[in-house]
Amino acid sequence: MVSVDGLAVEFSGVAIFSNIFFVINPKERIVLMGKNGAEKSR
């Protein structure tokens, strides 16, 4: 299980997300989407 609580993301001092909470349980599948060249595999 993966649990995230209180995640915040800022870009150039501007809050994009704040106080994010989520849980990924065993056997659940997630996907990471984005345009080509957006460095998703890093």
Side-chain angles (χ1 to χ4, degrees), residues 5-18:
D5 188 12
L7 176 70
V9 176
E10 292 185 6
F11 183 74
S12 296
V14 177
I16 307 298
F17 301 108
S18 62

Side-chain angles (χ1 to χ4, degrees), residues 1-2 4-11 14 16-17 19 23-24 26-30 33 35 37-42:
M1 175 173 70
V2 174
V4 174
D5 188 12
L7 176 70
V9 176
E10 292 185 6
F11 183 74
V14 177
I16 307 298
F17 301 108
N19 202 27
V23 175
I24 304 170
K27 298 187 179 181
E28 287 185 329
R29 295 182 179 184
I30 61 169
M33 296 177 62
K35 67 180 185 175
E39 300 189 30
K40 298 176 296 293
S41 61
R42 283 191 118 190

